[in-house]
Amino acid sequence: MGGLLSDAVRVDLAPGAVHLAHYLSLSRQRALIDQCRTLLDGDVPAYVPTVRGGGKMHVRMLCLGRHWNGQTYRYESTRSDFDGRPAPPLPDEFRTLASELAQAAGMTLTADLCILNYYDAEGRMGLHQDKDESEASLAAGLPVVSVSLGDAARFLFGGTKRREPVTAFRLESGDGFVFGGPSRLRYHGVSRIVPGTAPPELGMSGRFNLTLRQYDVET
Ligand SMILES: O=C(O)CCC(=O)C(=O)O
């Protein structure tokens, strides 16, 4: 399924940075939320990573397909910074969703990993670059595809240098956000969650965010 749904709104924020507002229908959001809940509390559950400097992140995280190690900032197959368990596989539905959203933004992606985060009302994520994928993937500008579910987030989007100005906008439930090409290494983060803003039909509080990425380029 390509292109935009009828009530989706495409906003081009910068070359290679596309906000696909209202992209997912409520029924697709519900199905994804069920899947996220099952995964986060599954056999290999989400956890709160401790990062290099010793601080705890303000999200519960579960990596699928490959594990991002918060101590080394590298990807690996098992969670050596936490419990040594293998990263669960990336569900096919997530890979398909990533391709669809990338295509809607005019890009291509064959995702091989997802970082799934759950933010409670106090959740946040500091400004950072996503730069731990393979050199070839970054050089090709393969996009990160982000999907938001539940409460809205105040999302920060800056330049490729930390000191550059930052724009803030809301990512709402059902929104996609795709950044690749010249925007692939832009700084971004989440300054706050806006509690009570999830569509009531979803029956959830807090926010899930999926970032789908392609570590390896296809040969
Ligand atoms: O939650 C978000 O919208 C952003 C997540 C993010 O920046 C990341 O996982 O690297």
Side-chain angles (χ1 to χ4, degrees), residues 138-151:
L138 297 175
L142 297 182
V144 173
V145 168
S146 151
V147 176
S148 296
L149 301 162
D151 285 335

Side-chain angles (χ1 to χ4, degrees), residues 57 59 61 115-117 119 124-126 128-130 144 146-148 153-156 171 177 179 188-190 193 207-211 213:
M57 291 185 76
V59 292
M61 178 180 284
I115 300 185
L116 169 57
N117 289 315
Y119 298 74
R124 60 184 192 275
M125 190 174 290
H128 64 281
Q129 289 174 300
D130 288 353
V144 173
S146 151
V147 176
S148 296
R154 185 171 186 269
F155 186 75
L156 307 175
L171 285 178
F177 182 61
F179 55 105
H188 59 279
V190 169
I193 298 300
R207 171 178 185 257
F208 291 114
N209 177 260
L210 295 81
T211 50
R213 307 147 190 249

Side-chain angles (χ1 to χ4, degrees), residues 21 39-41 55 83-84 87 89 91 103 110 130 137 142 150 171 195 197 211:
L39 285 163
L40 257 65
D41 294 320
D83 58 5
Q103 193 186 336
T110 307
D130 288 353
S137 174
L142 297 182
L171 285 178
T197 52
T211 50

Side-chain angles (χ1 to χ4, degrees), residues 35-85:
Q35 211 169 352
C36 290
R37 283 188 172 131
T38 304
L39 285 163
L40 257 65
D41 294 320
D43 288 344
V44 182
Y47 72 108
V48 178
T50 300
V51 290
R52 254 192 318 228
K56 287 223 173 265
M57 291 185 76
H58 299 275
V59 292
R60 281 183 74 206
M61 178 180 284
L62 177 67
C63 301
L64 306 164
R66 286 174 194 261
H67 176 68
W68 178 78
N69 182 320
Q71 296 292 314
T72 61
Y73 290 23
R74 288 174 186 269
Y75 286 101
E76 59 193 14
S77 55
T78 56
R79 315 199 301 182
S80 71
D81 59 331
F82 184 57
D83 58 5
R85 305 185 71 177

